[in-house]
Amino acid sequence: MKIQLSIYIALFLSTAIYAQSESGVVINGVKWATCNIDDTRSFAASPESQGKLFQWSRETAWTAESGEVGKAWQTFPDDQKEWTLNNPFPAGWRAPNAKEWERLLDKSKVKAEWTKQNGVDGMKFIDIDSGNSIFLPAVGERDALKGTFKNGGTVGNYWGYTKVNNTVYGLTFNAKKFQGKRFPDLDTGYSLRCVHEDESPYLASEKAKPMNREIKPGITLRDALGRAAEESIIDLNKQAKEQDAREAEQRRIAEEAERAKAERLAEAERRKAENLQKAEAARVEMERIEKLAKEKLAANGATVNIKGINWATKNLGKIGTFVAKQEDSGNYYAWGSNKYSYNNVEVNAFEAAKGMVWQAANSPCPTGYRVPTFEEMKTLNTAEKKAFTLNGVKGTLFIDNGNYLFIPNGLYWSATGMNSADTFSHYMNVSGATVHIPEKVNDVSANYQRRYTMNVRCVR
C-alpha cells in the first residue's frame, strides 16, 4: 500500500506541476478565465495584463510590442479542425468555440461596454443576472505577413477553438463596436482568453471518457490500480518530455534571434569603425594634398604647364598687368576688348567686338601673353581636378605631372567666337572640381553674350 500511495502522490504532484491558479468566473452559463494567456500554459498576472499573441493552432507565444520576430513565424503545424495539438492552454482550459462566444455576445443576458480598467483600454462583459464580469484588454495584433505588431490599445482580437472552411470564429472589438467574426488569416497573432472544459456546456468535441479496465481473474484491484497509476505517470512523463522539447525549441529560436541580433550589432560597429578609418584617412590625405598644393603653388613662377599649355598663374588685373595673388579674382572684360575693364558691368551692344577671333591688337594680356583659345581651354578638363580653397578663396586645383595651377571660381573668356552672328563666344565656368566649357550656342545662357563681362586667364 505504501508503494501505491507513493505512486498516487507522484501522480498528484506531477499533475500539480501544470495546475494553474486561475479559478474563472461564470457568465451566461460559461466559465471564463479572468486573464489572458501569457506564456504557453500560463495565465497573465492580472485581467489588465496584455498576455501574449498566438497564431492559430500554434503554441509559440509572441509579445504584444514592437520588435522583430524569429524564424518560428508562419511555420505551419499539422492541419486540424479543433485546436487540440500545438495548444498553449493551461490544463483544463481551452479556447472558446462559436457557441460559447455567442453566449458571451448575447445582449439579452450579457452587457458589454468599452472601458478603461486600471489605465488599460478594453471591453468589459457583465452577466446581467449575477453581476459577474470579465475584462478583455485591447491588446492589438501581429500581422499575418511579417508579424509586425500594430493597433495596440485600440483593437482586441481573440481566437476561437474550431476551424470551419479555413476560418476560425472569434471576437473582435474596438471603442465603437464589438462582434463575433470569422478570422480568415490564421497566421495573424491574436490574443487568447480561455473557457473551462469541465464547466462550460458547449464542448467542441466529446470529452475523453474514463478508462474502464476489466479486472481479469488472477489480477487484483490493487494490481489494476497500480498499473493505471503507472500508465498515468508514464503519460505525464511523456507530456513533460514533449513540453521540455517545445521549451528547448523556443529557447533555441530565442538564442538564434539573439545571436543574429548580436551579429548585426557587431557588423554595424565594424562598418562604423571602418567608416571612421576611411574618414580619418581621407582627412589625412586631404591635409597632405593641401600642404603639398600650397607648397607647389607658393613655388610657382609666372606660368605653369598643364597638358602642354603654359598658363599664367594669376588672373588678369588692369589692362596689361596681372593681379598680385594667385587667388585674386581680377578685373572683368567684355569679349574682344582691350579698352574696357569693368566690375562685371554690362557693355553696350554697339561696343561689343565682332568676328570669330579675339584680335591680338585688342588683347588685354601683358606682352608675350594672349587670351586662350577654346581648344586650349578644353585641355584643362583632361587634367586632374580638385575643389580647393586657397587663403579663403574657393576655386579649382589643376594637377598635371607634378605641376599645380589654381584658378578661382568664376567665368573666363576664350579667344574663340561661337557664332557668326557675333552674339556669343566660348568661355569656361570654373566651379570647384567641375569646369563647364559649353560647346554649342544652345548650351549658353543669354546672360553670357559678348556684351557681358568675364575674367581673363592668359596663356603664354
Side-chain angles (χ1 to χ4, degrees):
M1 187 67 181
K2 183 177 180 181
I3 295 175
Q4 286 183 336
L5 181 60
S6 298
I7 292 173
Y8 290 133
I9 291 173
L11 176 60
F12 172 77
L13 291 177
S14 299
T15 304
I17 292 173
Y18 300 98
Q20 304 294 325
S21 60
E22 173 67 60
S23 57
V25 60
V26 177
I27 297 179
N28 195 17
V30 179
K31 190 168 188 177
W32 292 83
T34 60
C35 301
N36 284 353
I37 299 297
D38 191 58
D39 286 319
T40 302
R41 292 175 183 78
S42 65
F43 289 103
S46 69
E48 300 83 24
S49 297
Q50 293 179 325
K52 298 291 175 63
L53 299 174
F54 297 83
Q55 296 172 290
W56 195 82
S57 187
R58 303 165 201 180
E59 60 184 351
T60 303
W62 302 98
T63 59
E65 58 187 15
S66 299
E68 298 179 355
V69 296
K71 293 183 178 179
W73 190 257
Q74 290 189 319
T75 56
F76 290 85
D78 295 335
D79 186 34
Q80 54 184 332
K81 292 183 178 180
E82 296 173 343
W83 200 341
T84 55
L85 301 175
N86 308 306
N87 73 74
F89 316 127
W93 298 86
R94 59 170 170 77
N97 59 32
K99 291 183 178 179
E100 289 157 346
W101 279 124
E102 289 171 0
R103 290 183 71 88
L104 186 68
L105 299 175
D106 185 351
K107 295 181 180 180
S108 67
K109 300 292 182 65
V110 181
K111 177 183 177 182
E113 59 183 21
W114 177 267
T115 186
K116 188 182 290 290
Q117 183 165 305
N118 293 329
V120 176
D121 289 319
M123 190 67 70
K124 188 173 185 179
F125 295 89
I126 307 167
D127 188 293
I128 295 175
D129 290 336
S130 67
N132 291 339
S133 67
I134 56 172
F135 175 77
L136 275 63
V139 178
E141 62 192 78
R142 286 188 177 275
D143 69 39
L145 184 60
K146 296 182 179 180
T148 304
F149 180 71
K150 60 183 179 180
N151 298 328
T154 60
V155 174
N157 288 308
Y158 285 77
W159 282 122
Y161 184 73
T162 308
K163 182 175 70 171
V164 178
N165 295 329
N166 289 320
T167 64
V168 173
Y169 188 82
L171 171 68
T172 183
F173 61 81
N174 55 35
K176 296 182 179 180
K177 64 179 181 179
F178 64 94
Q179 62 185 23
K181 180 179 179 181
R182 288 206 171 276
F183 296 119
D185 294 323
L186 306 190
D187 296 331
T188 307
Y190 291 153
S191 301
L192 276 177
R193 179 62 63 94
C194 290
V195 296
H196 201 281
E197 286 188 324
D198 295 331
E199 301 186 51
S200 297
Y202 300 104
L203 299 180
S205 59
E206 185 181 2
K207 293 186 293 184
K209 296 179 180 179
M211 179 172 57
N212 295 320
R213 288 186 173 85
E214 178 184 356
I215 301 177
K216 297 181 180 179
I219 299 178
T220 65
L221 176 62
R222 176 177 177 179
D223 289 336
L225 292 174
R227 289 179 182 178
E230 200 174 304
E231 290 173 1
S232 297
I233 290 175
I234 291 172
D235 185 56
L236 285 172
N237 285 336
K238 180 181 178 182
Q239 293 180 22
K241 288 181 180 179
E242 291 174 350
Q243 176 66 12
D244 289 343
R246 286 190 291 267
E247 291 176 354
E249 176 63 11
Q250 291 176 0
R251 286 194 299 271
R252 185 193 67 76
I253 292 171
E255 289 171 359
E256 185 175 332
E258 191 64 28
R259 183 167 56 253
K261 181 180 178 181
E263 289 175 355
R264 288 194 300 272
L265 290 175
E267 176 63 14
E269 288 297 321
R270 186 192 67 77
R271 290 182 179 178
K272 180 180 178 181
E274 183 178 294
N275 289 336
L276 288 174
Q277 290 178 352
K278 289 181 179 178
E280 177 61 16
R283 185 191 65 79
V284 171
E285 177 62 13
M286 179 58 70
E287 287 183 351
R288 185 192 69 80
I289 291 174
E290 287 183 356
K291 181 180 178 182
L292 176 62
K294 289 180 179 180
E295 291 174 352
K296 289 281 188 177
L297 292 173
N300 276 346
T303 62
V304 169
N305 188 285
I306 301 293
K307 294 298 180 180
I309 307 298
N310 291 316
W311 289 86
T313 56
K314 301 172 185 176
N315 281 358
L316 190 63
K318 293 181 180 180
I319 295 174
T321 60
F322 293 117
V323 294
K325 301 177 181 177
Q326 297 181 63
E327 64 270 22
D328 289 348
S329 176
N331 288 345
Y332 298 86
Y333 289 81
W335 187 84
S337 172
N338 68 344
K339 297 180 180 180
Y340 300 100
S341 175
Y342 298 87
N343 187 16
N344 206 19
V345 177
E346 180 182 350
V347 178
N348 292 330
F350 67 87
E351 296 175 338
K354 308 292 184 179
M356 295 294 289
V357 177
W358 192 318
Q359 298 298 321
N362 295 327
S363 174
C365 295
T367 302
Y369 292 85
R370 57 180 172 78
V371 180
T373 66
F374 171 58
E375 295 299 327
E376 288 170 332
M377 275 189 168
K378 289 199 296 183
T379 63
L380 285 176
N381 259 335
T382 65
E384 181 182 356
K385 299 185 295 295
K386 295 181 181 296
F388 194 75
T389 300
L390 181 60
N391 297 325
V393 177
K394 293 182 178 180
T396 301
L397 186 67
F398 299 89
I399 305 173
D400 177 46
N401 198 27
N403 295 331
Y404 285 64
L405 174 68
F406 177 79
I407 298 181
N409 288 344
L411 304 175
Y412 292 82
W413 282 126
S414 81
T416 309
M418 183 176 285
N419 68 332
S420 58
D422 299 329
T423 307
F424 299 99
S425 289
H426 288 289
Y427 70 97
M428 67 177 177
N429 182 0
V430 177
S431 180
T434 302
V435 178
H436 179 56
I437 305 176
E439 293 270 353
K440 301 176 182 178
V441 171
N442 57 11
D443 294 334
V444 180
S445 168
N447 291 334
Y448 304 144
Q449 297 180 27
R450 295 184 183 187
R451 60 192 180 88
Y452 281 81
T453 57
M454 298 185 187
N455 290 114
V456 174
R457 175 62 67 104
C458 303
V459 295
R460 190 168 188 172

